[in-house]
Amino acid sequence: MAHILHIDASPRGERSVSRMLAKEFVAQWKATYPDDTVTYRDIGRYPVPLLSEAWIAGVFTTPDQWSPESAKALQISDELVDEFWAADRYVFSIPMYNFSIPAHFKAYIDQIVRVGRTFVLDEAGYKGLVHDRKMTIILAQGGVYPEGSPSQIYDLQTPYLKLIFGFMGITDIDFVYANGLALGDDTRSQAIASARSALKTMVA
Ligand SMILES: Cc1cc2nc3c(=O)[nH]c(=O)nc-3n(C[C@H](O)[C@H](O)[C@H](O)COP(=O)(O)O)c2cc1C
């Protein structure tokens, strides 16, 4: 039995392609594996806080040294880290903004990449602590950035997401692209159909 953490990062509602695909995927997953459980978080519409001085001060001191502001900031971060640890599967839907991830998702990453909680630093260097997890990342993009093409360098989402989750120890990541969404109705429909089909295969 798996526990899924499903996070939507688009601030758009019904018009969001990434949100729609993730919703369909999780619904199909639940229909196929009814015993699996899901925690849902909508950071697109309800963003997590940005890091603050109180947060940073708290991370590098012990709880007995925390100000009330640090305690509050770290409580939110701890909840997000606990929720992240509690899952063994992740479904993240993320739009491309300015060739990268939206600030909403970056704020989430900043909250969960925590020394001593999701990674450690010792004599050997950095070590991720979160292992044996599987991640599906659904990316919605207006353009296309195919591997090996000159435009690939504009896709700063894929390499960053691989790097940051790899840093925490998660390397089993499937990327599903709904791309070319701004390139006309036909391309858009084909892109959505192809992402749907890839996601359907993953459920099976
Ligand atoms: C503020 C903003 C910035 C965007 N920047 C890019 C971009 O750099 N490259 C790209 O391919 N698409 C870009 N897009 C298009 C979105 O990735 C596309 O509309 C996608 O469908 C958004 O995801 P959503 O449908 O889940 O909301 C941008 C859209 C917005 C609103």
Side-chain angles (χ1 to χ4, degrees):
M1 203 178 92
H3 181 62
I4 298 168
L5 175 60
H6 169 192
I7 293 183
D8 287 329
S10 174
R12 298 207 297 172
E14 295 306 309
R15 290 189 306 142
S16 162
V17 173
S18 58
R19 190 181 280 276
M20 172 187 77
L21 290 169
K23 189 176 173 185
E24 288 174 6
F25 178 62
V26 172
Q28 283 169 16
W29 189 276
K30 275 290 288 169
T32 311
Y33 308 102
D35 290 341
D36 287 0
T37 49
V38 182
T39 294
Y40 176 66
R41 185 172 283 277
D42 186 348
I43 61 169
R45 283 186 278 194
Y46 307 101
V48 301
L50 297 176
L51 301 194
S52 59
E53 177 163 2
W55 188 100
I56 296 165
V59 161
F60 295 105
T61 50
T62 52
D64 55 302
Q65 299 170 300
W66 289 351
S67 66
E69 291 77 22
S70 288
K72 192 170 170 217
L74 270 295
Q75 187 194 337
I76 295 169
S77 176
D78 277 338
E79 281 170 18
L80 293 167
V81 172
D82 290 345
E83 183 180 85
F84 190 75
W85 266 107
D88 46 26
R89 275 196 91 96
Y90 305 95
V91 179
F92 294 158
S93 80
I94 309 172
M96 174 179 271
Y97 283 174
N98 301 312
F99 306 111
S100 186
I101 55 172
H104 308 66
F105 202 76
K106 180 60 166 52
Y108 175 71
I109 285 174
D110 288 343
Q111 291 284 356
I112 63 165
V113 179
R114 285 263 308 274
V115 65
R117 301 272 347 245
T118 48
F119 78 93
V120 284
L121 176 62
D122 57 24
E123 306 74 42
Y126 291 106
K127 204 162 58 191
L129 296 176
V130 192
H131 300 291
D132 303 321
R133 265 62 174 180
K134 185 147 183 57
M135 189 173 280
T136 302
I137 299 182
I138 301 166
L139 297 177
Q141 305 175 333
V144 288
Y145 311 93
E147 214 176 323
S149 75
S151 60
Q152 186 185 2
I153 56 163
Y154 288 91
D155 176 6
L156 298 173
Q157 291 188 303
T158 312
Y160 176 68
L161 291 165
K162 271 187 195 162
L163 183 145
I164 198 64
F165 287 116
F167 181 75
M168 286 189 272
I170 298 170
T171 51
D172 188 353
I173 308 178
D174 287 322
F175 286 91
V176 175
Y177 297 86
N179 52 15
L181 296 173
L183 303 180
D185 289 347
D186 288 351
T187 308
R188 181 185 171 85
S189 305
Q190 278 166 27
I192 293 172
S194 137
R196 270 197 179 120
S197 153
L199 289 165
K200 206 169 179 182
T201 308
M202 282 177 197
V203 175

